[in-house]
PDB file of all heavy atoms in Angstrom:
ATOM      1  N   TYR A 175     -51.301 -35.051-102.012  1.00  0.00           N
ATOM      2  CA  TYR A 175     -51.264 -34.225-100.806  1.00  0.00           C
ATOM      3  C   TYR A 175     -52.679 -34.285-100.176  1.00  0.00           C
ATOM      4  O   TYR A 175     -53.638 -33.987-100.884  1.00  0.00           O
ATOM      5  CB  TYR A 175     -50.891 -32.806-101.168  1.00  0.00           C
ATOM      6  CG  TYR A 175     -50.873 -31.736-100.044  1.00  0.00           C
ATOM      7  CD1 TYR A 175     -50.261 -32.066 -98.810  1.00  0.00           C
ATOM      8  CD2 TYR A 175     -51.550 -30.572-100.257  1.00  0.00           C
ATOM      9  CE1 TYR A 175     -50.279 -31.054 -97.829  1.00  0.00           C
ATOM     10  CE2 TYR A 175     -51.526 -29.584 -99.219  1.00  0.00           C
ATOM     11  CZ  TYR A 175     -50.923 -29.891 -98.009  1.00  0.00           C
ATOM     12  OH  TYR A 175     -50.915 -28.949 -96.978  1.00  0.00           O
ATOM     13  N   SER A 176     -52.714 -34.615 -98.926  1.00  0.00           N
ATOM     14  CA  SER A 176     -53.995 -34.570 -98.193  1.00  0.00           C
ATOM     15  C   SER A 176     -53.886 -34.026 -96.830  1.00  0.00           C
ATOM     16  O   SER A 176     -52.741 -34.031 -96.247  1.00  0.00           O
ATOM     17  CB  SER A 176     -54.679 -35.969 -98.128  1.00  0.00           C
ATOM     18  OG  SER A 176     -53.787 -36.936 -97.575  1.00  0.00           O
ATOM     19  N   ILE A 177     -54.979 -33.500 -96.300  1.00  0.00           N
ATOM     20  CA  ILE A 177     -54.931 -32.822 -95.058  1.00  0.00           C
ATOM     21  C   ILE A 177     -55.908 -33.547 -94.046  1.00  0.00           C
ATOM     22  O   ILE A 177     -56.940 -33.971 -94.503  1.00  0.00           O
ATOM     23  CB  ILE A 177     -55.346 -31.356 -95.142  1.00  0.00           C
ATOM     24  CG1 ILE A 177     -54.302 -30.607 -95.985  1.00  0.00           C
ATOM     25  CG2 ILE A 177     -55.535 -30.663 -93.759  1.00  0.00           C
ATOM     26  CD1 ILE A 177     -54.731 -29.196 -96.413  1.00  0.00           C
ATOM     27  N   PHE A 178     -55.487 -33.730 -92.827  1.00  0.00           N
ATOM     28  CA  PHE A 178     -56.346 -34.270 -91.816  1.00  0.00           C
ATOM     29  C   PHE A 178     -56.626 -33.202 -90.755  1.00  0.00           C
ATOM     30  O   PHE A 178     -55.696 -32.509 -90.356  1.00  0.00           O
ATOM     31  CB  PHE A 178     -55.733 -35.535 -91.096  1.00  0.00           C
ATOM     32  CG  PHE A 178     -55.603 -36.703 -92.084  1.00  0.00           C
ATOM     33  CD1 PHE A 178     -54.481 -36.847 -92.861  1.00  0.00           C
ATOM     34  CD2 PHE A 178     -56.609 -37.607 -92.261  1.00  0.00           C
ATOM     35  CE1 PHE A 178     -54.281 -37.885 -93.754  1.00  0.00           C
ATOM     36  CE2 PHE A 178     -56.518 -38.648 -93.159  1.00  0.00           C
ATOM     37  CZ  PHE A 178     -55.311 -38.783 -93.884  1.00  0.00           C
ATOM     38  N   GLY A 179     -57.889 -33.121 -90.422  1.00  0.00           N
ATOM     39  CA  GLY A 179     -58.306 -32.004 -89.527  1.00  0.00           C
ATOM     40  C   GLY A 179     -59.115 -32.549 -88.351  1.00  0.00           C
ATOM     41  O   GLY A 179     -59.290 -33.731 -88.156  1.00  0.00           O
ATOM     42  N   SER A 180     -59.469 -31.584 -87.481  1.00  0.00           N
ATOM     43  CA  SER A 180     -60.361 -31.954 -86.311  1.00  0.00           C
ATOM     44  C   SER A 180     -61.447 -30.950 -86.109  1.00  0.00           C
ATOM     45  O   SER A 180     -61.345 -29.824 -86.610  1.00  0.00           O
ATOM     46  CB  SER A 180     -59.455 -32.045 -85.070  1.00  0.00           C
ATOM     47  OG  SER A 180     -59.091 -30.770 -84.643  1.00  0.00           O
ATOM     48  N   MET A 181     -62.428 -31.316 -85.333  1.00  0.00           N
ATOM     49  CA  MET A 181     -63.568 -30.495 -84.906  1.00  0.00           C
ATOM     50  C   MET A 181     -63.837 -30.686 -83.447  1.00  0.00           C
ATOM     51  O   MET A 181     -64.969 -30.731 -82.984  1.00  0.00           O
ATOM     52  CB  MET A 181     -64.789 -30.830 -85.748  1.00  0.00           C
ATOM     53  CG  MET A 181     -64.766 -30.497 -87.142  1.00  0.00           C
ATOM     54  SD  MET A 181     -66.404 -30.884 -87.871  1.00  0.00           S
ATOM     55  CE  MET A 181     -65.981 -30.638 -89.559  1.00  0.00           C
ATOM     56  N   GLN A 182     -62.753 -30.823 -82.626  1.00  0.00           N
ATOM     57  CA  GLN A 182     -62.890 -31.190 -81.229  1.00  0.00           C
ATOM     58  C   GLN A 182     -62.966 -30.018 -80.265  1.00  0.00           C
ATOM     59  O   GLN A 182     -63.254 -30.199 -79.124  1.00  0.00           O
ATOM     60  CB  GLN A 182     -61.730 -32.107 -80.812  1.00  0.00           C
ATOM     61  CG  GLN A 182     -61.797 -33.416 -81.477  1.00  0.00           C
ATOM     62  CD  GLN A 182     -60.715 -34.332 -80.960  1.00  0.00           C
ATOM     63  OE1 GLN A 182     -59.602 -33.890 -80.805  1.00  0.00           O
ATOM     64  NE2 GLN A 182     -61.057 -35.614 -80.763  1.00  0.00           N
ATOM     65  N   ILE A 183     -62.748 -28.785 -80.715  1.00  0.00           N
ATOM     66  CA  ILE A 183     -62.787 -27.636 -79.766  1.00  0.00           C
ATOM     67  C   ILE A 183     -64.009 -26.796 -80.082  1.00  0.00           C
ATOM     68  O   ILE A 183     -64.586 -26.870 -81.180  1.00  0.00           O
ATOM     69  CB  ILE A 183     -61.483 -26.874 -79.818  1.00  0.00           C
ATOM     70  CG1 ILE A 183     -61.215 -26.295 -81.219  1.00  0.00           C
ATOM     71  CG2 ILE A 183     -60.333 -27.629 -79.337  1.00  0.00           C
ATOM     72  CD1 ILE A 183     -59.998 -25.378 -81.248  1.00  0.00           C
ATOM     73  N   HIS A 184     -64.461 -26.042 -79.123  1.00  0.00           N
ATOM     74  CA  HIS A 184     -65.639 -25.182 -79.279  1.00  0.00           C
ATOM     75  C   HIS A 184     -65.468 -24.232 -80.399  1.00  0.00           C
ATOM     76  O   HIS A 184     -64.392 -23.692 -80.586  1.00  0.00           O
ATOM     77  CB  HIS A 184     -65.978 -24.476 -77.977  1.00  0.00           C
ATOM     78  CG  HIS A 184     -66.414 -25.359 -76.924  1.00  0.00           C
ATOM     79  ND1 HIS A 184     -67.597 -26.036 -76.963  1.00  0.00           N
ATOM     80  CD2 HIS A 184     -65.815 -25.699 -75.739  1.00  0.00           C
ATOM     81  CE1 HIS A 184     -67.745 -26.778 -75.818  1.00  0.00           C
ATOM     82  NE2 HIS A 184     -66.638 -26.593 -75.090  1.00  0.00           N
ATOM     83  N   GLY A 185     -66.473 -24.017 -81.167  1.00  0.00           N
ATOM     84  CA  GLY A 185     -66.438 -23.109 -82.313  1.00  0.00           C
ATOM     85  C   GLY A 185     -66.149 -23.757 -83.612  1.00  0.00           C
ATOM     86  O   GLY A 185     -66.271 -23.124 -84.695  1.00  0.00           O
ATOM     87  N   LEU A 186     -65.818 -25.077 -83.558  1.00  0.00           N
ATOM     88  CA  LEU A 186     -65.583 -25.756 -84.840  1.00  0.00           C
ATOM     89  C   LEU A 186     -66.772 -26.531 -85.196  1.00  0.00           C
ATOM     90  O   LEU A 186     -67.602 -26.918 -84.309  1.00  0.00           O
ATOM     91  CB  LEU A 186     -64.322 -26.694 -84.640  1.00  0.00           C
ATOM     92  CG  LEU A 186     -62.987 -26.101 -84.333  1.00  0.00           C
ATOM     93  CD1 LEU A 186     -61.894 -27.033 -84.352  1.00  0.00           C
ATOM     94  CD2 LEU A 186     -62.728 -24.895 -85.372  1.00  0.00           C
TER      95      LEU A 186
END
Side-chain angles (χ1 to χ4, degrees):
Y175 175 50
S176 55
I177 295 172
F178 293 90
S180 73
M181 291 184 188
Q182 292 183 320
I183 59 176
H184 292 293
L186 300 183

